């Protein structure tokens, strides 16, 4: 297949490129800087600039664009960047996919779409939440409307907490736990809808050809609470995790993002499982063993 990849500079994007290329696929990477090879093309999604001919003959577009929600303390400017860094590239790619007749657009989203939920399992048909991140996800998914209307098969990757050793949540928690400072956040009762980086990438590749459209929860089949996650990580690292980080202390460090951290969703991958996908790491212990190795 010929795949167009956007937002592939992060650790997940790099894993995806490696996976696709090792599978014999041709990959064209959209980059914002000067291209470093024939397989890279410059674009400017904020200015609506993308040479439409780049998509000619492409079998699918995978869009993982978006700044990290936990990379900086939230202020009005960063909140806007969280939104525009997702919506602007998506809207432009949706328009170009429809114009070029690209068969599939595999587009990023997140389980934050559902907002805070309790212990009840959350599947893809559930309504959106009312938090800031839920609103971002709603706008993010709506930005694909042109592609939907143009007959493109659109998949919304409602991704959970991706566990990879290179970046993201796991290295931070690993360091804290190794320093004997590990503990649950808030009550610890909130669910962590996690997924291993291996399964995240394998699921994206699976969805390139699966007969699936619309939202897909990219989460492992066995979500756990924050308390259970913390305990298992401590077990894997041979460290105690007795501490409790109260919400007010967390908010003092990360600001309003704390409200999202101490919330949670028991999101389960119904659509993904029903499509025939088989997880390499169905349990948290398996995922942590693989990534911490």
């Amino acid at each position: 297949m010929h795949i167009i990849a956007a937002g592939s500079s992060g650790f997940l994007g790099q894993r995806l490129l490696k996976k696709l290329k090792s599978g014999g696929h041709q990959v064209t990477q959209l980059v914002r800087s000067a291209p470093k090879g024939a397989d890279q093309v410059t674009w400017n999604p904020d200015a609506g600039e993308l040479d439409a001919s780049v998509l000619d003959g492409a079998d699918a577009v995978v869009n993982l664009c978006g700044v990290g929600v936990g990379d900086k303390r939230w202020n009005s400017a960063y909140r806007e960047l969280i939104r525009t860094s997702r919506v602007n590239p998506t809207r432009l790619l949706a328009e170009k996919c429809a114009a070029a007749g690209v068969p599939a657009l595999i587009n990023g989203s997140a389980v934050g779409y559902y907002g805070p939920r309790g212990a009840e399992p959350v599947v893809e048909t559930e309504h959106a939440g009312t938090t800031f991140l839920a609103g971002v996800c709603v706008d993010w998914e709506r930005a694909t409307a042109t592609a939907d209307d143009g007959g493109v098969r659109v998949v919304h990757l409602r991704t959970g907490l991706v566990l990879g050793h290179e970046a993201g949540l796991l290295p931070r928690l690993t360091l804290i736990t190794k320093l004997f400072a590990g503990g649950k956040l808030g009550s610890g009762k909130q669910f962590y809808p996690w997924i291993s980086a291996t399964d995240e990438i394998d699921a994206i590749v699976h969805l390139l050809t699966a007969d699936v459209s619309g939202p897909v929860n990219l989460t492992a089949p066995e979500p756990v609470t924050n308390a259970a996650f913390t305990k298992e990580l401590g077990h894997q690292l041979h460290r105690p995790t007795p501490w409790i980080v109260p919400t007010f202390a967390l908010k003092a460090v990360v600001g309003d993002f704390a409200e999202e951290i101490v919330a949670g969703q028991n999101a389960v991958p119904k659509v993904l499982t029903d499509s025939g996908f088989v997880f390499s790491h169905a349990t948290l212990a398996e995922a942590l063993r693989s990534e911490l190795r």
Side-chain angles (χ1 to χ4, degrees):
M1 300 177 68
H2 179 200
I3 312 298
I4 309 296
S8 56
S9 60
F11 92 93
L12 275 179
Q14 290 301 301
R15 281 204 187 196
L16 177 63
L17 293 178
K18 183 177 180 181
K19 181 77 173 183
L20 291 172
K21 291 176 181 179
S22 67
H25 302 294
Q26 176 189 351
V27 183
T28 300
Q29 187 181 2
L30 301 183
V31 297
R32 295 173 185 252
S33 57
K36 297 179 180 179
D39 60 346
Q40 293 188 349
V41 174
T42 302
W43 73 321
N44 186 342
D46 294 324
E49 297 174 355
L50 172 61
D51 184 353
S53 65
V54 174
L55 276 65
D56 289 343
D59 295 293
V61 171
V62 179
N63 175 26
L64 302 178
C65 289
V67 299
V69 295
D71 290 354
K72 294 184 179 180
R73 192 179 183 89
W74 289 3
N75 54 28
S76 58
Y78 199 68
R79 282 173 178 265
E80 182 63 14
L81 185 58
I82 289 173
R83 187 184 304 275
T84 57
S85 66
R86 288 161 170 77
V87 172
N88 290 352
T90 297
R91 184 179 293 120
L92 179 59
L93 288 171
E95 293 172 357
K96 298 299 183 181
C97 283
V102 177
L105 170 60
I106 313 300
N107 205 75
S109 187
V111 293
Y113 175 94
Y114 305 110
R117 299 295 179 103
E120 185 176 353
V122 177
V123 297
E124 290 83 354
T125 53
E126 292 288 335
H127 62 81
T130 58
T131 62
F132 167 71
L133 287 185
V136 169
C137 290
V138 169
D139 291 345
W140 198 0
E141 295 187 8
R142 285 177 177 169
T144 65
T146 305
D148 282 303
D149 295 341
V152 179
R153 179 176 66 89
V154 177
V155 176
H156 301 292
L157 306 172
R158 290 183 183 167
T159 299
L161 300 166
V162 182
L163 305 182
H165 67 270
E166 304 98 324
L169 178 72
L170 186 59
R172 299 177 188 180
L173 294 181
T174 297
L175 177 59
I176 291 171
T177 304
K178 284 184 175 181
L179 294 174
F180 294 90
K184 62 185 181 181
L185 303 177
S187 69
K189 295 179 181 179
Q190 69 273 26
F191 272 83
Y192 265 19
W194 63 274
I195 185 171
S196 75
T198 296
D199 283 328
E200 172 82 5
I201 298 305
D202 287 349
I204 293 173
V205 174
H206 168 78
L207 291 167
L208 287 171
T209 55
D211 186 18
V212 172
S213 61
V216 180
N217 288 344
L218 261 59
T219 58
E222 296 186 17
V224 298
T225 63
N226 169 254
F229 183 98
T230 301
K231 182 178 180 181
E232 181 60 36
L233 181 59
H235 174 72
Q236 296 282 339
L237 296 173
H238 308 291
R239 296 288 194 277
T241 54
W243 310 110
I244 299 175
V245 182
T247 302
F248 74 85
L250 193 62
K251 192 167 185 176
V253 176
V254 300
D256 291 343
F257 185 43
E259 297 176 4
E260 302 280 354
I261 294 175
V262 298
Q265 310 86 14
N266 186 8
V268 293
K270 184 179 187 308
V271 172
L272 186 61
T273 302
D274 289 349
S275 72
F277 181 76
V278 178
F279 286 84
S280 296
H281 306 130
T283 68
L284 180 61
E286 292 171 337
L288 290 177
R289 275 197 297 269
S290 175
E291 289 300 324
L292 295 174
R293 181 178 58 199

